[in-house]
Amino acid sequence: MAKIKRGLYILLFLLLIALPVVVYPYLGEKVDKENFEKRALAQRPEFTLDNYTSFPEEFEAYFNDSLPFRNRLIGLNTKIDLSLGVSPLEHVLIGSDGFLFYHPNGSDGDPIGDYMGATSYTEQEIKLIAHRLLRAQYDLEREGRAFAALIAPNKETIYAEKYLPGVQKVNDVSRADKVYAYLKEKTDLNIVYPKDDLNAVMAAHPDWYTYYKTDTHWNSIGAYVGTSLVMEKLGLPINDIDSVRVIEKERAPGDLVYMLGMTESFPNDADYNIVDVPAAIKQDKSFGDGENMVRYTNSEGNGKTLLVVRDSFAVFMMPYFNMHFSECYYIHKSAYHPGMIQEYDPDCVVFETVERYLGDAMNFYAK
């Protein structure tokens, strides 16, 4: 009898292992298979004489990335880990009050290292950042164009001290602080680094957030603050955040929740409506790819053209730039080349980078 019971347990165990593989061909199309990770999933390798030694490792990586019901299983594992106060992914840190933080540890910048003051630029690198941005400003101003550079603070810079207390600073001055101080003291660059401005807004409005709890990016309030400061540097001032209508709303959980595979069970994030987008604003569907290269027009704009060389943080600024300019080009840094300045003939040019990508400024040219 004992042998039969053991055999049944073994059979049940094998059936549980095999069940996902058996039913997946029939149910696979009805479950979520989207890739929420910031990496390419492993592809099925072909066995050849050249890869026979690495084939087992490559196939294992493919099998792990193609596991039936993978997102569901990741979500279940994440729920268990979060209930224990543990993050299942080393690049997503669990903070207090529902905050999540990005920790790629150098593979996609190092926002935690930036917050801790553990990252640094050499003096030569700081001078090169200053040279590239200042040279761009001089070249553009000689052509009659206005220029401004924006360093969008990492979310960790603004919120880690309060919501991630287990991470301790080793230096109170970050590398972005050093670059900004150098640019302010040694140059006449039109530079915006709104760390203090965002902290001031939060102090004046304790019930507001300037970044999403579950996303790496700033929200509508943070983006509006950044936009208003840039517009001031361009000589086109707009109302500050205290002079516009701010209405609270919710939005779906952000990119950090996607990484955790918990999009269906994580609570919505806080967001805000700041201004109503005029119907006069239209996206030019015929321009670019709609992602790395985007163009908007506004028939009620100020008659000027804007070009923004950007990363993803500028996406949240687009509605506010679009409201004022007649034509806006948003070009991701990976798609930008200096010839676009002459091709699109903007009146104003903005170079935007999030703090963790600030080193990209070393490769920025306007001509």
Side-chain angles (χ1 to χ4, degrees):
M1 187 68 179
K3 289 184 177 179
I4 295 175
K5 186 179 291 187
R6 264 199 312 271
L8 288 174
Y9 282 142
I10 293 172
L11 180 61
L12 179 62
F13 177 73
L14 293 174
L15 286 174
L16 288 174
I17 291 177
L19 186 62
V21 178
V22 173
V23 302
Y24 193 69
Y26 305 98
L27 299 179
E29 295 303 319
K30 298 181 180 180
V31 299
D32 175 25
K33 293 187 288 186
E34 186 174 349
N35 177 17
F36 298 125
E37 301 180 47
K38 290 192 172 184
R39 68 178 180 90
L41 299 182
Q43 300 299 306
R44 185 185 183 98
E46 292 186 14
F47 180 80
T48 66
L49 293 178
D50 294 326
N51 75 341
Y52 73 93
T53 57
S54 62
F55 180 81
E57 183 178 345
E58 293 173 3
F59 190 86
E60 182 181 6
Y62 160 73
F63 180 80
N64 290 338
D65 283 353
S66 306
L67 190 68
F69 305 103
R70 182 173 182 271
N71 285 351
R72 298 279 183 171
L73 293 171
I74 290 174
L76 176 61
N77 180 71
T78 299
K79 283 184 180 180
I80 295 171
D81 285 340
L82 290 179
S83 69
L84 300 174
V86 177
S87 174
L89 298 177
E90 63 179 11
H91 55 272
V92 179
L93 301 184
I94 310 299
S96 58
D97 194 30
F99 270 83
L100 303 177
F101 294 94
Y102 190 38
H103 184 41
N105 200 24
S107 63
D108 186 28
D110 190 0
I112 296 295
D114 289 339
Y115 162 71
M116 294 173 61
T119 58
S120 62
Y121 293 118
T122 65
E123 182 178 352
Q124 188 172 7
E125 287 173 328
I126 292 175
K127 288 181 177 179
L128 181 56
I129 290 171
H131 173 74
R132 291 284 186 254
L133 294 177
L134 203 58
R135 184 73 207 190
Q137 180 168 301
Y138 289 165
D139 287 341
L140 292 166
E141 286 180 346
R142 276 202 301 267
E143 296 176 347
R145 312 181 200 275
F147 176 77
L150 166 66
I151 306 168
N154 296 329
K155 173 183 175 179
E156 292 69 19
T157 295
I158 303 300
Y159 280 109
E161 184 173 7
K162 183 174 181 180
Y163 295 106
L164 199 62
V167 177
Q168 301 298 320
K169 287 187 176 184
V170 298
N171 190 336
D172 286 332
V173 181
S174 71
R175 61 179 179 175
D177 291 330
K178 292 177 183 177
V179 171
Y180 182 64
Y182 183 89
L183 293 172
K184 291 291 289 182
E185 293 169 10
K186 304 292 187 181
T187 78
D188 61 352
L189 181 71
N190 292 328
I191 182 68
V192 173
Y193 179 46
K195 182 173 79 169
D196 292 341
D197 304 88
L198 293 168
N199 285 327
V201 167
M202 292 188 296
H205 303 277
D207 56 331
W208 286 0
Y209 295 102
T210 57
Y211 287 65
Y212 295 112
K213 287 185 175 185
T214 62
D215 201 287
T216 52
H217 299 92
W218 54 15
N219 62 20
S220 301
I221 289 178
Y224 188 91
V225 170
T227 304
S228 64
L229 293 169
V230 169
M231 292 293 284
E232 185 177 348
K233 292 293 185 182
L234 294 175
L236 300 167
I238 61 175
N239 290 330
D240 62 26
I241 192 67
D242 288 316
S243 302
V244 295
R245 177 175 57 91
V246 177
I247 298 176
E248 291 188 34
K249 67 172 186 176
E250 291 184 345
R251 77 156 208 170
D255 56 7
L256 295 172
V257 173
Y258 274 71
M259 293 181 206
L260 293 174
M262 293 191 66
T263 54
E264 296 180 359
S265 57
F266 223 86
N268 285 340
D269 214 325
D271 201 2
Y272 308 85
N273 275 333
I274 294 186
V275 288
D276 296 322
V277 178
I281 297 174
K282 306 289 184 184
Q283 181 179 351
D284 181 358
K285 300 291 187 180
S286 67
F287 177 83
D289 59 4
E291 184 174 350
N292 292 317
M293 297 178 62
V294 184
R295 176 179 179 263
Y296 285 90
T297 60
N298 179 0
S299 59
E300 299 175 358
N302 58 12
K304 295 181 180 295
T305 297
L306 170 71
L307 187 148
V308 181
V309 182
R310 64 170 188 88
D311 55 38
S312 57
F313 267 65
V315 171
F316 301 85
M317 305 169 71
M318 289 180 185
Y320 313 124
F321 282 134
N322 292 342
M323 287 186 63
H324 299 283
F325 289 92
S326 293
E327 188 176 23
C328 291
Y329 293 90
Y330 301 99
I331 311 297
H332 194 274
K333 286 180 281 187
S334 62
Y336 168 78
H337 61 80
M340 292 176 174
I341 303 292
Q342 300 303 319
E343 182 178 357
Y344 305 139
D345 194 23
D347 300 282
C348 303
V349 177
V350 172
F351 175 81
E352 175 275 319
T353 181
V354 68
E355 178 183 344
R356 73 179 192 266
Y357 296 154
L358 178 53
D360 290 350
M362 291 184 236
N363 300 309
F364 176 64
Y365 297 85
K367 296 186 68 171

